[in-house]
Amino acid sequence: MKIPPTNTLIPFFSLLFSGPVLSALVGFGLNPYNIFCASACHWSLLSSPLSCSASIDTPVFIGWAITSNECKANDTAFLTTLAWCLHTKCNQENGYRVSELENFWETQATRDMANFKDKIRFPKPPPKWTYSEALAYVFENGPPNRTMKAGEVLNFTSIVPEKSYVAQMNTAFGVTREQVLGATYGIIILVTGFALPILCTWLYHLPFSSSFVSFLSPRITYPSSWGTYSVRPLPYLIGNAPTVGQAIYIAVFFALNIILMSINYHPFQPHLYYKSESDEIKAYIFYRTGIAAYAILPLLILFSSRNNFLLLWLTNWSHATYLLLHRWVARVFVLHALVHSFLALPLFLPQPAVVSSGYWAWGAVATVLCVVILAASVLPIRRWSYEIFLASHIVLSVIMMVGLWYHVVLWVGVDTWGYETWIYAACAVWFVDRAARAGKVLKQGVRKGRVRELGNGYVRVDVPGVRFGGDGPGLHVYCHFPMLSLWRPWENHPFSVVPTSMWVVKGEQGGKDGRTSGDSSPSASKESGKGVEVEVVDVEKQHGGLGKVSGNMGITLLIKKGSGMTTHLKATEGLWTLLDGPYRNASTTEIRRCDRLLLIGGGIGITSLLPWIASHPNVKLYWSVKESAKCLVEEVERVLVGVEKEVRIGKRLHIVDLLAQEVETGYKRIGVVVSGPGGLCDDVRAAVVAAERKGGTEFELDVDAYSW
């Protein structure tokens, strides 16, 4: 028998993985039993004690005798019996050359096949004869005509019992076949999970795809899969509903995993380990789900990474989308781990030596931790204390990875079945992300931020000298304020970035306190009513606007104090600030290509909308704030000089009406950027979907909400 035909997939996967990665996976360059008949011959002899065995009555592995490698290397009966079995079972008629048998002889004939870690823990002395010399000795003394019996001391050249050989052959081939299939399906799952976002994005850029995209957007891309819930949590805080498009990805990923875990099983009886076909199939499911869990690890960590350079660059999917998918991929990972663990119980609990082993204990630790991590990641806990969730999430994940490592290393060592390769890949993704974070912080260095109280829990933080403020809209940065909380200086939060230069407008230098003398254009009119102030600026008559920047480089953060780190923000001139960023929320290319850009904000959401003002020639801002946030309006109004806008204080926006009004103007393609409370974001999403389904106007929607 040869390696299973899944190796025909190597050319395809070699396009996606480097050679070293492939060579470290079983069936793709790594195979402990590359000659199954030779391994079966070898295994058939290991249960028989030799004349030089240290003990003939103390089995260590399914009744195998304690026989040192040195003993086998110098025992004539062992070498001649093995040589004769190789000659009769692995001859040229079966497709094996003498050179292949010689290589097996030199590398594995004296290896303890009962212990996969033999190659790193025990020496491998070469046999005293080569395969050809041992076979020549057999022919000189006459071919064997006697078959050894179970438990009999092997002190003569023997014929290997056929029943034992077949069982060993089935075991070697069956287990290896399942390991190769597991590695193959693991690669398929990993590649599919990684490639689907890229393929979906590329569909949007195919020639003549505009009508196709227009059809998909209001039906798949934008609408929620559960009513109008998306940013808002579902009832009873059971989580956030994915969009229809995200739900399709999740369904495809789940279906792929279930299908690949359910097909292509084949029992090989008699089997050395499993006495019935049902037990053998259970064992193969046990193997495959374990491999699949390991294979998902790199994707799981990649989706949670801030510095997911490749996917964020190649796709138009947002970081928030990848975080949502990270949680669903984690559920698939836990599902594989649980199936793997539950199937292991009936298979191995009857074996005290296995249950008391280190690899069993570490496997149990990893399984328990992955369930704990998933349970501790539910939305109520994240909302209760995101900082505690995040710290525990990282610590428990690291311990779980250690458990996964020892689970396989203490079982089969390294470079045997390739399980550790998946851990290497996952750790590489994690370290690249962490190194990139550290590099961004070091690049910016320690900054001295100026904090100014605006009132009612709102503050403005100016960080001078930062150069990425002019990189366009849709940026956020993770800020560390290490002096705010000395007992947890690692704590950081994401904030939208506004270039400080936007506060420099014409005539600003004439104001006493740095404000412009005229924040409204001459064409502006104000409508006042109870609890509402609406300022409507005619874009055709507007003038003024942003003046020439006079060296005010830096970024400004508008922050509403919360229950965590930001609680301690107070007016100061020298707040130590570390910046990890910038990061782009999502691609801005399609939004910028629209005929009209609508900015819809609620409260502090104005922060992420301000940079869009200078990025498009035809912008209108709709902004609603509570009465308590009037101080925020007063702070931002100087930036909005000459901008077409409606600012409502103490009153909500009528999303459906304002979209209908914009559609009536005749624009063919309207971009909508919304940032604010979850209810506002979901209302805008639903209104855009309804408006686009009516036809006539295309919409590009960007929801900028930190829902994680």
Side-chain angles (χ1 to χ4, degrees):
M1 295 183 182
K2 295 287 188 180
I3 293 292
T6 48
N7 276 320
T8 57
L9 294 171
I10 289 181
F12 169 71
F13 291 130
S14 64
L15 299 174
L16 302 166
F17 290 85
S18 64
V21 173
L22 278 176
S23 63
L25 294 175
V26 65
F28 296 87
L30 183 66
N31 183 33
Y33 312 127
N34 55 343
I35 305 180
F36 297 110
C37 56
S39 296
C41 287
H42 191 198
W43 280 24
S44 297
L45 302 181
L46 296 182
S47 61
S48 297
L50 307 180
S51 300
C52 56
S53 295
S55 174
I56 62 173
D57 59 354
T58 307
V60 294
F61 189 82
I62 316 182
W64 293 1
I66 297 179
T67 305
S68 68
N69 295 342
E70 291 82 357
C71 173
K72 289 181 286 187
N74 294 282
D75 189 90
T76 298
F78 175 82
L79 296 177
T80 55
T81 301
L82 179 59
W84 184 252
C85 185
L86 295 183
H87 171 70
T88 56
K89 302 295 185 181
C90 305
N91 51 38
Q92 288 186 341
E93 293 180 1
N94 294 329
Y96 296 102
R97 299 177 180 178
V98 174
S99 60
E100 293 180 277
L101 300 181
E102 288 282 9
N103 180 68
F104 172 87
W105 185 273
E106 294 294 331
T107 58
Q108 309 221 32
T110 58
R111 174 186 169 195
D112 184 2
M113 298 300 290
N115 190 337
F116 292 108
K117 300 183 293 296
D118 169 68
K119 56 187 173 183
I120 61 173
R121 292 180 57 189
F122 300 101
K124 298 193 292 292
K128 66 177 181 178
W129 291 331
T130 66
Y131 163 67
S132 298
E133 290 172 340
L135 187 60
Y137 182 88
V138 174
F139 279 113
E140 289 174 4
N141 292 275
N145 54 14
R146 179 181 169 187
T147 301
M148 60 183 179
K149 299 179 181 179
E152 183 179 11
V153 176
L154 182 61
N155 54 11
F156 59 95
T157 302
S158 171
I159 298 174
V160 172
E162 185 66 18
K163 182 178 180 180
S164 174
Y165 171 80
V166 172
Q168 303 288 359
M169 182 70 168
N170 287 341
T171 301
F173 183 79
V175 171
T176 302
R177 176 183 182 273
E178 188 52 49
Q179 296 292 334
V180 174
L181 285 173
T184 303
Y185 293 159
I187 294 175
I188 292 174
I189 291 170
L190 179 59
V191 172
T192 302
F194 177 84
L196 268 181
I198 300 174
L199 293 176
C200 291
T201 299
W202 287 357
L203 288 176
Y204 278 67
H205 299 285
L206 292 175
F208 312 107
S209 63
S210 58
S211 59
F212 175 67
V213 172
S214 299
F215 176 81
L216 289 183
S217 294
R219 294 167 178 82
I220 293 179
T221 307
Y222 299 148
S224 171
S225 60
W226 190 319
T228 60
Y229 288 96
S230 183
V231 179
R232 289 176 302 152
L234 291 166
Y236 308 107
L237 296 180
I238 62 176
N240 293 96
T243 65
V244 173
Q246 293 166 349
I248 290 175
Y249 175 97
I250 294 167
V252 169
F253 192 76
F254 262 89
L256 178 67
N257 278 267
I258 293 173
I259 290 171
L260 293 181
M261 296 304 105
S262 306
I263 63 172
N264 207 3
Y265 291 102
H266 192 288
F268 296 89
Q269 291 289 322
H271 197 283
L272 179 65
Y273 303 149
Y274 312 110
K275 302 306 179 184
S276 67
E277 288 189 358
S278 62
D279 283 348
E280 188 178 353
I281 295 299
K282 290 177 185 176
Y284 292 160
I285 299 174
F286 158 78
Y287 291 149
R288 195 179 296 184
T289 51
I291 297 171
Y294 275 75
I296 287 175
L297 281 173
L299 187 70
L300 181 62
I301 296 177
L302 181 67
F303 280 0
S304 68
S305 300
R306 294 179 190 173
N307 296 281
N308 182 357
F309 303 112
L310 189 58
L311 282 179
L312 291 176
W313 178 60
L314 290 176
T315 72
N316 57 7
W317 294 19
S318 66
H319 180 55
T321 293
Y322 286 115
L323 282 178
L324 183 143
L325 297 182
H326 161 76
R327 293 192 283 268
W328 283 98
V329 171
R331 293 172 181 125
V332 178
F333 169 80
V334 173
L335 178 62
H336 285 311
L338 290 177
V339 173
H340 175 81
S341 299
F342 285 139
L343 286 176
L345 295 177
L347 289 171
F348 298 108
L349 274 180
Q351 302 181 34
V354 173
V355 178
S356 61
S357 65
Y359 69 81
W360 177 277
W362 278 109
V365 168
T367 299
V368 171
L369 283 179
C370 77
V371 174
V372 171
I373 292 170
L374 183 65
S377 301
V378 295
L379 187 57
I381 293 180
R382 298 204 309 272
R383 283 199 160 193
W384 168 67
S385 178
Y386 187 81
E387 292 77 23
I388 293 177
F389 151 74
L390 188 60
S392 63
H393 197 73
I394 295 172
V395 171
L396 294 179
S397 296
V398 170
I399 299 175
M400 183 191 73
M401 293 291 286
V402 172
L404 292 173
W405 165 263
Y406 280 110
H407 180 54
V408 296
V409 170
L410 294 178
W411 176 35
V412 293
V414 295
D415 298 331
T416 301
W417 295 119
Y419 302 130
E420 69 280 359
T421 304
W422 306 111
I423 300 179
Y424 295 153
C427 290
V429 173
W430 190 87
F431 280 114
V432 166
D433 177 53
R434 297 291 162 165
R437 294 187 192 186
K440 290 181 177 182
V441 172
L442 292 174
K443 181 180 178 180
Q444 297 299 332
V446 179
R447 300 286 176 174
K448 295 293 184 68
R450 187 185 74 169
V451 183
R452 184 157 59 88
E453 297 268 6
L454 303 181
N456 293 329
Y458 292 92
V459 296
R460 169 176 167 172
V461 180
D462 294 302
V463 186
V466 181
R467 301 294 174 180
F468 58 74
D471 290 351
L475 297 180
H476 66 274
V477 62
Y478 290 84
C479 289
H480 301 252
F481 302 123
M483 301 305 294
L484 286 184
S485 182
L486 296 178
W487 65 282
R488 49 184 188 187
W490 62 84
E491 186 177 332
N492 61 96
H493 290 279
F495 300 104
S496 295
V497 172
V498 182
T500 305
S501 59
M502 293 195 72
W503 266 262
V504 182
V505 297
K506 288 182 178 180
E508 184 174 29
Q509 287 76 11
K512 293 182 180 180
D513 60 354
R515 298 192 182 190
T516 61
S517 56
D519 287 345
S520 301
S521 66
S523 59
S525 63
K526 290 187 177 181
E527 302 172 9
S528 299
K530 184 178 180 181
V532 56
E533 178 181 333
V534 181
E535 182 180 6
V536 183
V537 181
D538 189 344
V539 73
E540 299 296 332
K541 299 179 181 180
Q542 67 178 333
H543 66 279
L546 297 183
K548 183 178 180 180
V549 177
S550 56
N552 292 335
M553 298 302 296
I555 61 172
T556 294
L557 314 174
L558 298 176
I559 300 173
K560 182 179 181 181
K561 293 182 182 181
S563 59
M565 170 185 72
T566 55
T567 305
H568 307 287
L569 284 172
K570 297 179 180 179
T572 180
E573 292 293 327
L575 176 65
W576 283 16
T577 305
L578 302 177
L579 302 176
D580 174 14
Y583 296 96
R584 190 167 297 282
N585 302 328
S587 173
T588 63
T589 303
E590 297 303 320
I591 294 283
R592 289 180 173 186
R593 291 175 179 172
C594 293
D595 305 321
R596 174 74 154 167
L597 179 57
L598 304 182
L599 306 177
I600 304 175
I604 198 66
I606 188 65
T607 313
S608 67
L609 299 181
L610 291 178
W612 284 95
I613 292 174
S615 69
H616 197 279
N618 188 3
V619 176
K620 184 170 183 179
L621 171 67
Y622 294 90
W623 184 25
S624 171
V625 296
K626 297 179 180 179
E627 285 282 357
S628 59
K630 191 173 182 179
C631 59
L632 190 62
V633 178
E634 295 172 352
E635 181 65 26
V636 173
E637 62 183 358
R638 74 189 71 178
V639 181
L640 304 181
V641 172
V643 177
E644 186 181 5
K645 57 187 176 291
E646 289 188 18
V647 180
R648 298 180 180 270
I649 301 176
K651 189 174 182 180
R652 294 184 176 183
L653 297 167
H654 298 287
I655 306 301
V656 175
D657 293 342
L658 71 86
L659 286 184
Q661 177 182 340
E662 295 295 334
V663 170
E664 289 177 1
T665 60
Y667 293 110
K668 295 298 182 184
R669 195 176 186 201
I670 299 176
V672 178
V673 181
V674 57
S675 181
L680 173 66
C681 293
D682 288 347
D683 288 346
V684 171
R685 181 187 298 276
V688 167
V689 168
E692 188 164 8
R693 283 182 177 178
K694 293 179 180 179
T697 303
E698 296 180 16
F699 285 86
E700 284 290 335
L701 175 64
D702 181 7
V703 178
D704 184 4
Y706 298 111
S707 59
W708 56 82

